């Protein structure tokens, strides 16, 4: 949906710009005779239409490769986090209704600002979660090792693919899965730019989204607890029920996102090795 909105918006902007330029051009050439004017107009329209089509294609390509990844991986979690924080603060102060009545006509501008700030917040969230996931580096490496062994990845063939790609010398050998794992970063950087293996971006994007959303859920849990204690100080029974429900929902979603992130991490690493071997072993066979 975001892709469609962005595409249509950029197309409308390009069309509006084209029309404005056409009008100004027609006024500038008004001193020519009718036949010359018509000829120039037709040529300009054709040229401008071609440029517009090329520009739209370029914008569409950028949107497909960058915008969806950025929006889903950074802007979406960041915007949700900022939105929850704003709602928590306003609800705690009891000013939510007044703020809504004041700014309800500016919802579009507020959403745009929230999206931009959410992108920045999403990048901060990603950096924070990278620190946390770093503590589980050895556990993830062990599970990846088990996955490669269980799926019968041939270490010698992987080593040959690395030699064919020039990452290691012909005299150098890789004899274990642990040694192979050390080169997965180089493998990923190599094949991620190959359009034939573009599906790898989907796995990486899903991994990023789940990692960031797990952190957002954890933060949301704290905000829910703070709001419940602030607004329901005198209603112990209702407060207890809401705390149980809020914790259950937040912790459940956090667990699901973490589980999904872990699965996408292993899948990304595994297919990086498989597709890297496929790429460079096939190239060697063709040569």
């Amino acid at each position: 949906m975001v892709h469609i909105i962005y595409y249509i918006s950029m197309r409308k902007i390009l069309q509006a710009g084209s029309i404005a330029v056409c009008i100004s051009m027609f006024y500038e050439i008004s001193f020519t005779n009718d036949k010359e004017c018509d000829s120039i107009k037709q040529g300009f329209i054709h040229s401008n239409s071609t440029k517009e089509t090329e520009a739209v294609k370029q914008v569409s390509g950028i949107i497909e490769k960058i915008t969806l990844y950025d929006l889903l991986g950074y802007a979406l979690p960041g915007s949700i986090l900022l939105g929850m924080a704003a709602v928590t603060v306003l609800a705690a102060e009891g000013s939510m209704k007044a703020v809504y009545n004041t700014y309800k006509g500016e919802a579009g501008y507020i959403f745009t600002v929230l999206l931009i700030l959410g992108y920045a917040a999403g990048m901060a969230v990603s950096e924070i979660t990278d620190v946390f996931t770093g503590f589980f580096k050895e556990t993830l490496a062990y599970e990846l090792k088990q996955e490669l062994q269980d799926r019968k990845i041939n270490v010698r063939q992987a080593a040959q693919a690395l030699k064919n790609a020039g990452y290691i010398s012909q005299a150098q050998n890789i004899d274990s899965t642990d040694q192979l794992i050390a080169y997965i970063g180089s493998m990923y950087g190599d094949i991620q730019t190959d359009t034939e293996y573009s599906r790898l971006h989907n796995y990486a994007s899903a991994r990023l989204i789940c990692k960031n959303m797990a952190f957002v859920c954890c933060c949301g849990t704290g905000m829910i607890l703070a709001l419940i204690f602030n607004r329901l100080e005198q209603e112990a029974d209702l407060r207890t029920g809401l705390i149980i429900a809020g914790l259950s929902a937040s912790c459940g979603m956090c667990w699901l996102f973490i589980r999904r992130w872990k699965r996408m991490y292993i899948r990304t690493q595994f297919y990086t090795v498989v597709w890297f071997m496929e790429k460079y072993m096939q190239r060697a066979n063709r040569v």
Side-chain angles (χ1 to χ4, degrees):
M1 184 64 184
V2 174
H3 175 96
I4 296 173
I5 294 173
Y6 266 73
Y7 179 83
I8 293 174
S9 299
M10 292 305 300
R11 186 175 181 83
K12 293 299 182 183
I13 291 172
L14 289 168
Q15 287 177 344
S18 302
I19 293 171
V21 173
C22 285
I23 292 173
S24 62
M25 186 68 179
F26 292 163
Y27 277 110
E28 289 177 4
I29 62 175
S30 59
F31 58 87
T32 60
N33 59 48
D34 292 340
K35 291 184 178 180
E36 290 176 345
C37 186
D38 291 340
S39 177
I40 293 174
K41 288 179 181 179
Q42 293 298 326
F44 181 79
I45 291 173
H46 176 73
S47 175
N48 192 67
S49 178
T50 302
K51 291 179 180 179
E52 177 189 340
T53 302
E54 293 176 355
V56 170
K57 288 181 179 179
Q58 291 177 357
V59 171
S60 179
I62 293 173
I63 290 171
E64 290 175 357
K65 294 179 180 179
I66 299 176
T67 306
L68 289 179
Y69 176 84
D70 289 344
L71 284 176
L72 296 178
Y74 296 109
L76 179 62
S79 298
I80 292 174
L81 180 63
L82 293 179
M84 289 193 305
V87 169
T88 301
V89 172
L90 293 175
E93 294 180 350
S95 58
M96 181 179 292
K97 186 174 182 180
V99 171
Y100 172 76
N101 291 332
T102 304
Y103 297 103
K104 62 182 178 180
E106 310 296 333
Y109 296 105
I110 294 174
F111 176 79
T112 303
V113 172
L114 180 63
L115 196 63
I116 295 172
L117 295 178
Y119 181 80
M123 289 192 292
V125 168
S126 183
E127 292 298 320
I128 294 171
T129 52
D130 282 342
V131 173
F132 284 113
T133 56
F135 295 116
F136 304 97
K137 185 176 180 180
E138 293 183 0
T139 302
L140 292 171
Y142 174 78
E143 294 197 14
L144 176 60
K145 177 182 176 180
Q146 292 298 119
E147 179 73 11
L148 294 174
Q149 291 176 345
D150 293 343
R151 302 286 288 270
K152 308 299 182 184
I153 293 297
N154 192 314
V155 176
R156 291 185 178 180
Q157 287 185 356
Q160 186 59 51
L162 286 167
K163 292 177 182 179
N164 295 340
Y167 287 102
I168 61 175
S169 64
Q170 293 296 328
Q172 188 175 353
N173 291 320
I174 295 178
D175 302 316
S176 67
T177 307
D178 291 326
Q179 292 177 310
L180 177 62
I181 290 175
Y183 290 94
I184 289 182
S186 300
M187 295 179 182
Y188 179 82
D190 187 293
I191 66 171
Q192 70 166 337
T193 57
D194 194 327
T195 55
E196 186 176 350
Y197 306 106
S198 58
R199 191 167 38 157
L200 195 63
H201 284 288
N202 298 336
Y203 297 148
S205 180
R207 183 182 68 182
L208 178 67
I209 295 168
C210 293
K211 176 172 67 83
N212 291 347
M213 285 303 300
F215 180 82
V216 170
C217 288
C218 291
C219 294
T221 301
M223 294 177 192
I224 290 173
L225 293 177
L227 185 59
I228 289 173
F229 278 106
N230 180 270
R231 300 294 293 175
L232 300 173
E233 294 179 359
Q234 307 300 325
E235 302 179 36
D237 293 337
L238 179 59
R239 183 175 62 188
T240 301
L242 289 176
I243 289 174
I244 294 174
L247 283 177
S248 299
S250 298
C251 291
M253 291 184 66
C254 185
W255 178 81
L256 288 174
F257 279 123
I258 291 175
R259 181 179 175 83
R260 186 65 179 172
W261 162 77
K262 181 180 174 183
R263 183 177 299 177
M264 288 296 102
Y265 175 86
I266 299 297
R267 183 174 296 180
T268 302
Q269 304 294 80
F270 172 77
Y271 279 107
T272 294
V273 176
V274 171
W275 289 334
F276 183 86
M277 291 170 58
E278 177 185 291
K279 177 180 178 179
Y280 284 99
M281 294 303 289
Q282 286 180 353
R283 178 176 297 181
N285 292 335
R286 287 196 296 268
V287 173

